Amino acid sequence: MRRTARTPASALLAAVSLALAGAALAPAAGAAISWGVCAESNDIACGHLTVPLNPTQPGQGVITLALRRHRAPLGEAKDAVIALAGGPGQSAIPFLGTFDQLLGPIVATRDLIAFDQRGTGFSHPLSCAVFEHPRSGSPRTVGLCGGEIGEERGLFTTAQTVADIEDIREAGGYEKLVLYGTSYGTKVAERYAQEYPSHVEALVLDSVVPPNGPEAFERPTFAAVPRILRQLCFQAACAHITRNPVSDLGRLVRRMGGGAVHGTLIGRHGKAERRRISSNDLVGILLEGDFNPLLRAEFPAAVRSAVRGDDAALARLLAHAEGGGERSEEEAGPEAFDLPLYYSTICDETPFPWNPLANPTKRLHEAHAALSAIAASAFAPFTRANAFALSDIPACAYWPDTLDGPELNATPLPDVPTLILSGADDLRTPTSGALEVARQIPDANLLVAPNTGHSVLGADPTPCAHDALKSFFEQHAVKQCKDRTPPPIFRPTPLPPRSLSEVAPIPGSPGLPGRTLHATLLTLGDFSRQLFLALLENIGEALFGSGDISTGGLRAGWGAFKQGKLILHGYSYVPGVTVSGKLSSSGAGTLRIGGRAGADGTLRVSPHGSLSGVLAGRHVHLSAPPAGGPVGLSASLTAPTRLDGLLAHPKSLELLHARGIAALLHAVFGD
């Protein structure tokens, strides 16, 4: 649902300019969808439908909607599934195949239709020349964009999209629709059900935005942060890191104040640079964790380290979060997300705390006054300033007024068959929104999936959500997910040592050699995790390109996965201890241990994951760590095989697109 400010606007704009035929006539009643075979697939039909620009005043002109249809394989479908993307502003057409895989058996007897909502993708995307300039994206630029679009910007909101869906139903000859929406798509589905309840077969609402959401200051998101951090540390999972991850985060935010801390980031080729990290960046890292559970797993230790004055892990975590991007909204190319459409919808529909007829300065003054009246505890361990920065208030204050104010939707939600899916770890659309909608639909089925972030069907690492979808359409009871235990690879990572003296010797190997042996194991575990993160940021290139992935150490050096081998070059995780060498795809190889603080020597890694060799003239040995422990220990000596398994997994890219990062990781590393 939420756009983050770090996304470059120029990368999101559609290439096609706005083309509205103001003098054209509205389509005749009963117009049919013009279907044809898509060039890219014989199984998918490409179509378009001409609809009124203004559904309430058909004489104002028309626009053409782009659609894709996957026909039901069994018989002639009387009903259809309309799959709605998020945003607002996200194109749905690139995800038709993903929708087909996610929905599985429910599209066996129903047609599946994805269409680009008006103003996005191939359905007359909105565009603004002012966003093409290098310094675009400022609040004032957003206002210029609204002026550039003109008065028609008010015709690209949820209400018009709902009217378009009804036109699609009538033109397609369908009796009823199943509305499947994710994030903002749930708001569209809810609004359609309010307007046309008799035409709804069922609602599937995944990652729910309530009918009058989002809240202007994102209070549900901030209220969910403490709960989600405690869930991450469920069953003493953070005992090796901290007693209280929420308290740690609060201490770090207070240390930052209105400014920032600075940490040293080691780049993928071993070059060091200083990185600025603000409390707003901490919010961004947590939000990016909605899509990548490995980021969340790193968060408690990185924050605790920063509280102790060591900011290196936090600098590296921020770099990973920024490198990951908004996978669910932007990965499908330049037509995948339309920023002007986002503002057209959000700025017109959100109930901001100001007079819509006021000028930007007055609006911002009123917003700050409203924010000051909210208790600081509503945003703790973050602050009111973080809430203001995350919100769309700074940008929408400059958006030209189109209406007298946002239309508050007071229509009750109808009692239609409804399945509501919420990720217990979702910060973008927290479970509070799902509960709010569930309370309004008496017979709604609500499933809260543990260890799952945004977009439940694409993020649940277990079959639980898909089983619930199947049971719902078979009219069986929807069973709650029983197991709350996260897979080992999702568990919080160790606290990075500030010196070798903080590393305990390996039992049976006392003194400096034993500490160095343990430090080597921790270093390999860190290297394994960082390569997984780097690989997931470049999964397409890794699967179809050279497969070379590299990452920097926490303290120094670099490492890479090249042509099936792990290469370490002075890679350092524990200060003063470096690891160099190569490991084959079987996991075997030789490592050279050096650095100013550790015991120099050579270690041999066996294919079974044991370490043995000589450090400071003393023989040392470590058997393979037991499976099932923290990923830094259990997977550290099996990284080559696991990375090979991820790259060689026959459905890696398919799993990533259809089920998300969590499912892909769980499929390969779930043991």
Side-chain angles (χ1 to χ4, degrees):
M1 178 72 192
R2 187 173 295 107
R3 176 195 57 84
T4 53
R6 63 177 172 79
T7 307
S10 59
L12 301 177
L13 293 179
V16 186
S17 63
L18 178 65
L20 298 174
L25 297 177
I33 300 173
S34 197
W35 293 111
V37 177
C38 291
E40 64 269 23
S41 173
N42 292 329
D43 297 328
I44 299 172
C46 290
H48 63 270
L49 177 67
T50 302
V51 298
L53 170 62
N54 186 344
T56 63
Q57 299 181 30
Q60 285 192 7
V62 296
I63 60 174
T64 300
L65 304 176
L67 304 93
R68 299 291 185 270
R69 180 185 66 185
H70 188 280
R71 294 295 299 269
L74 303 177
E76 190 72 17
K78 295 182 179 180
D79 299 337
V81 178
I82 301 287
L84 299 165
Q90 184 179 5
S91 171
I93 283 177
F95 298 99
L96 179 65
T98 299
F99 294 143
D100 187 34
Q101 294 178 37
L102 288 176
L103 297 173
I106 77 170
V107 293
T109 58
R110 303 169 182 87
D111 290 350
L112 172 63
I113 294 176
F115 77 102
D116 285 345
Q117 298 176 36
R118 57 169 60 203
T120 68
F122 300 105
S123 296
H124 287 297
L126 295 180
S127 64
C128 290
V130 292
F131 279 152
E132 301 291 349
H133 299 295
R135 294 187 178 182
S136 64
S138 70
R140 294 182 184 274
T141 304
V142 171
L144 292 174
C145 174
E148 188 177 334
I149 295 172
E151 292 301 320
E152 288 158 340
R153 62 183 172 269
L155 299 175
F156 291 84
T157 58
T158 303
Q160 287 79 32
T161 294
V162 165
D164 292 341
I165 294 173
E166 178 61 7
D167 285 341
I168 291 172
R169 185 195 67 80
E170 290 183 347
Y174 298 110
E175 295 178 3
K176 290 192 175 185
L177 300 177
V178 173
L179 280 302
Y180 162 64
T182 302
S183 196
Y184 167 71
T186 65
K187 181 175 178 176
V188 177
E190 293 156 7
R191 181 66 177 266
Y192 181 88
Q194 290 171 319
E195 296 289 336
Y196 305 101
S198 63
H199 298 161
V200 175
E201 179 189 356
L203 298 177
V204 179
L205 307 177
D206 186 337
S207 305
V208 173
V209 177
N212 288 313
E215 197 270 338
F217 293 112
E218 307 290 358
R219 276 184 279 184
T221 287
F222 287 98
V225 168
R227 171 180 59 81
I228 287 174
L229 288 178
R230 293 187 182 103
Q231 286 172 184
L232 187 62
C233 295
F234 176 65
Q235 291 183 339
C238 295
H240 58 302
I241 304 170
T242 179
R243 293 181 178 179
N244 190 333
V246 181
S247 176
D248 284 347
L249 181 56
R251 290 176 62 185
L252 180 57
V253 170
R254 289 191 294 274
R255 175 189 163 199
M256 291 173 167
V261 300
H262 292 80
T264 299
L265 171 69
I266 308 300
R268 56 185 299 195
H269 301 299
K271 183 179 179 180
E273 62 174 290
R274 294 288 285 173
R275 293 294 301 266
R276 181 181 186 277
I277 313 156
S278 70
S279 56
N280 289 333
D281 291 324
L282 298 179
V283 177
I285 293 170
L286 284 171
L287 287 172
E288 195 62 35
D290 279 346
F291 299 123
N292 188 343
L294 294 188
L295 293 177
R296 289 270 172 87
E298 297 254 336
F299 191 80
V303 168
R304 181 63 182 172
S305 292
V307 167
R308 301 199 307 166
D310 180 4
D311 300 322
L314 198 58
R316 187 170 63 175
L317 184 58
L318 175 61
H320 279 303
E322 292 176 337
E326 294 286 336
R327 185 189 65 80
S328 75
E329 293 181 354
E330 298 154 21
E331 69 179 355
E335 290 82 22
F337 193 87
D338 191 285
L339 199 57
L341 185 281
Y342 176 88
Y343 287 123
S344 289
T345 304
I346 289 294
C347 295
D348 275 345
E349 293 188 357
T350 304
F352 292 114
W354 59 48
N355 180 348
L357 300 179
N359 62 39
T361 301
K362 180 64 173 175
R363 288 180 178 181
L364 290 172
H365 177 77
E366 292 177 3
H368 278 295
L371 182 59
S372 297
I374 301 172
S377 58
F379 308 105
F382 289 104
T383 67
R384 295 186 183 97
N386 298 127
F388 185 83
L390 180 63
S391 76
D392 288 299
I393 284 174
C396 288
Y398 289 87
W399 189 258
D401 178 51
T402 302
L403 309 169
D404 292 333
E407 176 191 355
L408 292 179
N409 191 348
T411 306
L413 287 168
D415 191 9
V416 296
T418 303
L419 175 64
I420 300 173
L421 303 172
S422 178
D425 297 342
D426 188 0
L427 278 175
R428 277 171 169 75
T429 53
T431 298
S432 58
L435 291 169
E436 178 184 334
V437 171
R439 285 191 291 267
Q440 298 180 47
I441 303 176
D443 297 321
N445 295 269
L446 171 62
L447 178 83
V448 180
N451 308 307
T452 302
H454 196 61
S455 184
V456 176
L457 287 178
D460 184 3
T462 74
C464 181
H466 285 263
D467 290 345
L469 182 69
K470 182 180 179 182
S471 296
F472 174 70
F473 278 93
E474 291 177 350
Q475 298 184 352
H476 297 157
V478 172
K479 297 180 180 179
Q480 296 299 312
C481 309
K482 294 182 179 180
D483 189 4
R484 292 181 57 195
T485 305
I489 199 168
F490 296 172
R491 294 173 188 167
T493 55
L495 186 67
R498 292 174 294 183
S499 66
L500 184 58
S501 63
E502 292 186 358
V503 180
I506 290 291
S509 299
L512 185 62
R515 292 183 187 275
T516 304
L517 180 61
H518 192 180
T520 302
L521 179 65
L522 293 173
T523 301
L524 291 174
D526 178 73
F527 179 38
S528 171
R529 293 191 302 273
Q530 301 313 309
L531 278 183
F532 292 152
L533 281 165
L535 179 67
L536 292 170
E537 291 163 17
N538 302 277
I539 186 70
E541 178 183 346
L543 288 170
F544 298 117
S546 64
D548 294 353
I549 301 294
S550 59
T551 185
L554 181 63
R555 313 294 180 184
W558 58 272
F561 182 69
K562 295 185 177 182
Q563 299 177 345
K565 293 183 178 180
L566 283 181
I567 302 172
L568 297 97
H569 188 276
Y571 192 98
S572 177
Y573 173 69
V574 178
V577 178
T578 63
V579 179
S580 301
K582 293 182 180 180
L583 300 177
S584 68
S585 59
S586 68
T590 301
L591 302 175
R592 299 182 303 279
I593 313 303
R596 57 177 172 77
D600 293 351
T602 301
L603 295 173
R604 177 72 182 172
V605 184
S606 77
H608 303 292
S610 63
L611 274 172
S612 60
V614 177
L615 296 175
R618 184 180 301 172
H619 182 77
V620 294
H621 177 79
L622 174 66
S623 299
V631 68
L633 299 177
S634 65
S636 56
L637 298 182
T638 57
T641 352
R642 288 175 175 265
L643 283 166
D644 262 354
L646 183 55
L647 289 173
H649 196 282
K651 293 188 176 182
S652 288
L653 199 62
E654 178 182 321
L655 271 170
L656 179 66
H657 281 271
R659 295 286 306 281
I661 286 174
L664 174 60
L665 289 172
H666 187 59
V668 182
F669 309 119
D671 57 334

